[in-house]
Structures are given as C-alpha cells and as structure tokens.
Amino acid sequence: MATDNGQANVDLDENLHSRQLAVYGREAMRRMAGANVLVAGANGTGVEIAKNVILAGVRALTIHDTKNVETRDLSAQFYLTEEDVGQNRAEACRDKLQELNNAVAVSASSAELSAEYLGQFQVVVATDASLEEAKRIDEICHSHQPPIAFVRVETRGVFASVFCDFGPSFTVYDVDGEEPHSGIVASVSSGNPALVTCVDDERLEFQDGQLVVFSEVVGMTQLNSHKPVKVKNCKAHSFELELDTTGFSEYVRGGIVTQHKEPKVLSFKRLGEALESPGEYLMSDFSKFERSPLLHLAFQALDAYQAETGALPRPGVSGDADKLLELVGSLAAKQTDKVELDEALLRKFASGSSGELNPMAAMFGGFVGQEVVKALSGKFSPLHQWFYFDSAESMPDDILPAAEYEPTGSRYDPQIAVFGRSLQQQLQSLKLFLVGAGALGCEFMK
C-alpha cells in the first residue's frame, strides 16, 4: 500500500535502527524506509550524502553521474582509487556504497534526468549541476504531484551553498523533535480565562501561545474531549487557558495536561524565484552577518563565469578573479538592497573555487543528509531555503604566488588549489595519533 506521498509502507528492523527510532520515532522511520532517493553527482559531497542517507535506512538510493573518474577526484571522494580512473564515477563507487547497508537497494545510473525518470523519487539531490540544469530539475520536482523534494548543494574550496525546495505545501509534523511537555493537574477554576494549577513537584515547561490537551480529568470532564486550547501567562506551576469554563462541570480532582504539537505547513519557492527573492538566510556565524547576501551573488557569478569560459577561475590568477569580481558587481548593481562587496573575500572565493575538500564534503554531506531525512520524515524543521557557509579564515591571508598553486598531477591538486603547495607538503610530513575509532574517529581519520 502507498502512503499519501507515494511511498510504500514497510516493516522496520528495530534492532538495526534502534538508535534512529529513539530520535525519529516509528512513523517517521516508516516514511524513510519506503522512500526512493536520487543523488545526482558522485563527487566527494555526493558520496558523503549518499553514505548518510543509506545508513539512515531508506528503501532505495540511486547515485547518478555522467562523468568519469579523474585523479583529482581522489582528493575528496574517498570511495575511489587509482584503479577507478577512467570509469564512470557512479559505477565506480556503487558496490562500496551498497556494503554500508544491505537493506537498502543501491544502484548507479547515467541516464538522462528527464521528468519521467525523476518521477520515481521522493527526494532529488544535485551536487554537481550547473545553475540552469538545477533550475530545470527543480521545476520538474516542484511541479510534480506529489512534489518531489529538491536539494542543491555546492562546495567550492572553503565556501559552500545549500538550497532546499520541498514543494509549495510541505508539512512538518514535528518542528523540533522534542517530547511534548506535560504536567499533573491540581486544580482548574471556573471562569474566563480559566486558571490551571499543577502539582509543584516539577516546573512546567509550557510557553505562552502553545496549545495543550487534557486527559483523565475528574469532574470537569468537558476538558478531556475539548480541542487543543491555547495557554497564556505561563508560570512555574500554573497557566491560564484561553477558554471560558463557566458552563463546565466543577473540577473534582486529577488530570494530565499535555502540550499539543500542531503540524506546520511551509511553502517553498522554486529555485528561479528564490534566486531573485531569497528571503531570510540561515546563519551559522553571526559575526559574518553581511556575508550571506554577498555569497548569494558570488555563487551565481561563479556559475555565469563557468558557463561563459567553460572552466572555473584558476588559483592565484588575478585576471580570472577580476572577471569574477566584475560579474558579482553587475549582479550587485541590480539588487534592491545594497550588497557590500568584499574584494579580498571574493578573490579568495575565486582562487579556491576549483578545489573540493574532503572536510567540506563531510560537513555538507552530513548537513544535506539531514535535510533529506527531514524531507522524508516530516520531522524537524527543514532549511527554508538558503544556507551559505565559508571558512575563509582557513586560507592564507593573501593570495599566494601562482607557482604555489601549480598542479602536480596527484590526488592532492584540489587541496593545493586552495592552500598551496607549501601547506600540502607540511600536511604530508605530519604524523598523527588518533585515539578512538568510533563514528567520529573514523570521520577524522578519513
């Protein structure tokens, strides 16, 4: 049988997913276990996302790519080896992804991303698509019935961008994943508003404006069957109901009051519309408050640069950075709200844009993996709709001489493109001792 979003109802292996069940709950896990997910782009970020989604326990995942493995892919894509060079990137890593969870059907594809092909999925993630291609895919996903959740992610050196479109009407069944707060009723007054007092063994956690429901009340039994009621004037052991209880039976004893969590419906804009009207950005560092509007333009300019020249800016080449700055300036001039241009930051962005770094891939593989889980489960508030990140302070203060960025033909060329040869040589001479080989330890080691 299919659910309302086209997913199949399945039985859960509670031993395999015991920890996730504790976080997401059975209903959310069932939604995930019936889902089919597409990750388009088997670069470092794409494989990190695929890894996390497979471990989460979806029904099926397809890793898609039309590119062949190059030596530089080995820098961030940890499932590739030198023997894979020349093979299709998705095909080269499919078997290793499958080993993560045999309960998930993992397949590789290089098929055309047509509307018919995309229609079989509940979530589509694009990690290596041009802006025009991403807009085309998002249009298909947004218009599909039911809508297909779409996520676009880019990592460019130490800069990253994430966009989410979960359709025109997406329901979040539980916005925070917390257990509903509750209290034991000691008394309820007759009046408008009604005053509810609870036993003083524990402090109440209700907040003004929240909804509550009652059960097991003796006497004023009308409360037990009443629809959720809004609370106000919440204190440590009491609160008021926005309800007239004058005509109710007299309260006698007992009762449990429990927070009622209402589903929240979110409306997402299409990518093309959200580019022009991005709304509020998710912030990760409030010391960089003005950074997101600038990076919003910078990533668009980078896509325009690549479309025009057929390549990304070369590391340390000032002429390439000048062209990107010109493109950003043109976009900024069209904005209603003024965007301050930070030339030094944009030159760092341009210089390192051709390098994909494994730590960035790991970080955003985790971030986007969680957005996929939110899209499938309806639990926790999703990204709505843009997130930009940078760690520009990790780069040298000034752009290094061009010779520092010269490629060596090795797997480390993307790191050299961001940090330079000298730092790469320092890294290769380090000896590290890692204590603990759990999930985090293995991530650090990778």
Side-chain angles (χ1 to χ4, degrees):
M1 189 174 90
T3 61
D4 57 1
N5 62 355
Q7 296 162 235
N9 287 324
V10 295
D11 293 326
L12 293 174
D13 183 339
E14 297 197 6
N15 291 325
L16 179 64
H17 298 294
S18 59
R19 293 187 180 183
Q20 289 166 252
L21 280 166
V23 176
Y24 300 122
R26 283 177 175 78
E27 187 57 38
M29 283 296 298
R30 285 195 183 94
R31 294 191 195 106
M32 286 193 284
N36 193 4
V37 177
L38 173 68
V39 177
N43 56 6
T45 305
V47 168
E48 289 279 0
I49 296 165
K51 176 199 71 176
N52 292 324
V53 174
I54 290 167
L55 291 173
V58 296
R59 177 171 60 84
L61 180 136
T62 299
I63 184 80
H64 178 281
D65 211 314
T66 58
K67 295 180 180 178
N68 291 334
V69 178
E70 300 177 6
T71 300
R72 65 184 292 114
D73 289 322
L74 276 60
S75 173
Q77 222 278 39
F78 57 90
Y79 275 143
L80 298 177
T81 66
E82 292 179 358
E83 288 73 28
D84 295 321
V85 173
Q87 298 182 42
N88 176 273
R89 293 200 298 187
E91 294 286 352
C93 62
R94 192 214 75 87
D95 290 347
K96 292 173 183 175
L97 286 169
Q98 181 64 81
E99 291 173 3
L100 292 168
N101 188 348
N102 287 327
V104 177
V106 180
S107 59
S109 174
S110 57
E112 178 189 354
L113 298 179
S114 63
E116 182 180 4
Y117 181 79
L118 294 172
Q120 64 185 297
F121 302 102
Q122 280 74 53
V123 181
V124 172
V125 181
T127 71
D128 202 17
S130 69
L131 184 57
E132 285 306 310
E133 175 68 356
K135 285 159 72 172
R136 182 189 71 83
I137 295 172
D138 178 57
E139 182 64 34
I140 294 170
C141 293
H142 192 94
S143 303
H144 190 270
Q145 291 300 324
I148 301 165
F150 174 76
V151 184
R152 184 185 189 225
V153 56
E154 291 184 275
T155 58
R156 302 291 185 183
V158 295
F159 296 79
S161 164
V162 183
F163 167 80
C164 288
D165 173 10
F166 291 177
S169 181
F170 177 78
T171 301
V172 184
Y173 297 100
D174 186 347
V175 296
D176 59 12
E178 298 288 337
E179 283 294 318
H181 301 305
S182 63
I184 301 173
V185 179
S187 68
V188 183
S189 69
S190 293
N192 185 16
L195 175 65
V196 179
T197 305
C198 293
V199 298
D200 57 8
D201 291 351
E202 291 186 8
R203 183 184 180 90
L204 292 174
E205 299 293 340
F206 299 138
Q207 296 180 7
D208 289 6
Q210 289 181 339
L211 297 172
V212 297
V213 292
F214 290 83
S215 61
E216 303 178 27
V217 174
V218 178
M220 196 179 286
T221 55
Q222 292 92 336
L223 288 175
N224 295 330
S225 57
H226 201 280
K227 65 181 182 181
V229 186
K230 189 175 290 187
V231 300
K232 62 181 181 179
N233 295 330
C234 296
K235 297 182 172 57
H237 304 292
S238 67
F239 56 89
E240 291 180 345
L241 298 175
E242 292 189 3
L243 178 67
D244 185 358
T245 60
T246 304
F248 288 10
S249 304
E250 186 178 350
Y251 174 83
V252 177
R253 66 177 183 277
I256 305 293
V257 57
T258 305
Q259 177 190 359
H260 174 77
K261 288 189 168 184
E262 280 199 319
K264 183 178 182 181
V265 178
L266 298 175
S267 178
F268 288 79
K269 301 173 186 173
R270 291 172 169 85
L271 176 56
E273 183 184 353
L275 284 167
E276 300 298 326
S277 179
E280 189 173 342
Y281 303 100
L282 176 66
M283 299 295 298
S284 65
D285 185 344
F286 286 95
S287 69
K288 300 177 179 179
F289 189 76
E290 303 297 329
R291 193 69 55 87
S292 292
L294 177 58
L295 292 181
H296 186 67
L297 301 183
F299 272 90
Q300 293 179 66
L302 184 66
D303 188 88
Y305 181 103
Q306 192 172 15
E308 182 179 330
T309 66
L312 291 165
R314 290 165 293 179
V317 178
S318 60
D320 290 6
D322 290 341
K323 183 171 181 60
L324 183 75
L325 281 163
E326 182 181 332
L327 290 168
V328 175
S330 297
L331 288 170
K334 301 174 184 177
Q335 303 303 304
T336 305
D337 297 324
K338 185 178 180 182
V339 178
E340 293 290 338
L341 301 187
D342 185 334
E343 181 176 339
L345 180 79
L346 292 172
R347 288 189 178 278
K348 286 185 176 184
F349 177 69
S351 183
S353 62
S354 63
E356 185 182 26
L357 305 177
N358 180 263
M360 289 289 289
M363 175 179 172
F364 282 89
F367 184 97
V368 174
Q370 283 299 303
E371 295 307 308
V372 172
V373 168
K374 293 173 188 177
L376 295 173
S377 67
K379 194 160 188 176
F380 302 105
S381 296
L383 170 64
H384 191 255
Q385 295 185 253
W386 290 102
F387 176 49
Y388 290 98
F389 173 87
D390 76 90
S391 183
E393 57 274 15
S394 300
M395 295 179 71
D397 291 336
D398 300 310
I399 302 299
L400 302 173
E404 269 285 316
Y405 301 111
E406 282 293 324
T408 63
S410 74
R411 65 187 298 157
Y412 303 114
D413 282 350
Q415 291 172 199
I416 291 172
V418 179
F419 300 115
R421 285 189 174 194
S422 298
L423 181 59
Q424 182 59 41
Q425 290 169 357
Q426 292 178 43
L427 287 172
Q428 289 180 241
S429 66
L430 291 177
K431 294 181 179 180
L432 301 179
F433 179 64
L434 179 67
V435 179
L440 284 175
C442 288
E443 285 287 342
F444 297 152
M445 187 160 49
K446 168 169 66 71

